[in-house]
Amino acid sequence: KNEVEQSPQNLTAQEGEFITINCSYSVGISALHWLQQHPGGGIVSLFMLSSGKKKHGRLIATINIQEKHSSLHITASHPRDSAVYICAVMSRSQFYFGTGTSLTVIP
Amino acid sequence: DVKVTQSSRYLVKRTGEKVFLECVQDMDHENMFWYRQDPGLGLRLIYFSYDVKMKEKGDIPEGYSVSREKKERFSLILESASTNQTSMYLCASSFNPPPYEQYFGPGTRLTVT
């Protein structure tokens, strides 16, 4: 049983498209994180949120605590957004990770 | 900028060898973590440490040990490497208390032949 489920697993988009990646979780959380991993391995934290919505440039993250669901949106997608996006939740000092969504943006 | 560095980006070892992976952070973080990442399985926690000389087992500690003698340095040791330990190993660090943001190193891709 996975505590964190992401969808879709793979996503291909044309440059300029609006992209949504979804994350559902089954545990009580103190925070939810969206991470980005480019080919080669390094992981960067995009957002940490526990309620509402956060925006950074073309990226928007939302969370609905009652529904245990979060979404990551990318507006005006660009080939440099191609990466694996990972949802992670923190529950009682422990992290649970989704298996990631692999995004490819085609020029 | 927080910097988490790992001793190697790529490593090839033979079955039965003792392997050391080292992680260093420069932000005076209390917490340090070792994960492995495998396709379809996501990140899985091997061990973490919340203070010098303190360690806690994660989800998959079997076949691994760790050492934290200094606050900035957290080592992962494979006592006798096996082929099923071929993986990407990622170190991370963070402040306490939760909720906290983790900062990741670049990863070490270990191949055991």
Side-chain angles (χ1 to χ4, degrees):
Chain A
K1 178 184 175 291
N2 293 331
E3 289 82 1
V4 181
E5 299 277 0
Q6 284 184 241
S7 64
Q9 277 191 304
N10 298 285
L11 184 55
T12 301
Q14 290 291 132
E15 185 173 355
E17 281 187 20
F18 180 86
I19 287 162
T20 296
I21 300 170
N22 295 299
C23 175
S24 296
Y25 54 91
S26 58
V27 294
I29 68 168
S30 52
L32 181 141
H33 300 250
W34 281 102
L35 310 171
Q36 181 190 55
Q37 185 174 30
H38 278 286
I43 292 177
V44 174
S45 178
L46 298 174
F47 295 103
M48 180 173 73
L49 63 166
S50 52
S51 65
K53 178 177 170 176
K54 284 192 177 180
K55 185 174 189 291
H56 182 70
R58 294 179 295 105
L59 273 58
I60 303 165
T62 64
I63 188 168
N64 185 319
I65 298 293
Q66 286 73 30
E67 294 187 4
K68 295 190 173 179
H69 182 268
S70 175
S71 294
L72 176 68
H73 305 287
I74 305 175
T75 62
S77 59
H78 190 276
R80 65 174 173 266
D81 297 325
S82 298
V84 174
Y85 292 85
I86 301 169
C87 174
V89 301
M90 170 170 267
S91 178
R92 285 181 291 179
S93 300
Q94 185 166 353
F95 273 94
Y96 299 92
F97 294 87
T99 54
T101 294
S102 178
L103 171 65
T104 303
V105 182
I106 300 168
Chain B
D1 261 2
V2 176
K3 202 158 177 71
V4 181
T5 56
Q6 295 183 225
S7 48
S8 306
R9 290 301 305 273
Y10 299 94
L11 208 51
V12 180
K13 295 290 181 182
R14 292 192 183 277
T15 301
E17 278 193 82
K18 191 168 185 175
V19 182
F20 292 87
L21 302 182
E22 196 159 73
C23 175
V24 178
Q25 51 93 4
D26 65 359
M27 277 300 290
D28 205 34
H29 285 165
E30 294 89 0
N31 298 335
M32 297 189 75
F33 308 81
W34 275 108
Y35 297 94
R36 65 177 280 178
Q37 185 180 34
D38 300 287
L41 296 177
L43 283 148
R44 292 181 291 167
L45 181 65
I46 305 171
Y47 269 97
F48 70 98
S49 168
Y50 53 87
D51 201 352
V52 175
K53 296 194 188 292
M54 306 302 287
K55 60 185 179 185
E56 294 282 342
K57 290 180 181 179
D59 300 318
I60 50 163
E62 297 79 19
Y64 303 95
S65 61
V66 289
S67 171
R68 193 167 181 201
E69 296 296 318
K70 293 186 178 182
K71 192 175 186 181
E72 68 270 18
R73 196 176 296 265
F74 192 33
S75 300
L76 180 70
I77 303 147
L78 287 66
E79 295 290 342
S80 177
S82 63
T83 54
N84 63 14
Q85 292 178 309
T86 292
S87 186
M88 170 70 90
Y89 290 87
L90 288 146
C91 174
S93 69
S94 75
F95 285 118
N96 253 334
Y100 44 69
E101 194 166 340
Q102 290 193 332
Y103 296 86
F104 287 85
T108 296
R109 187 164 294 282
L110 172 68
T111 303
V112 183
T113 60

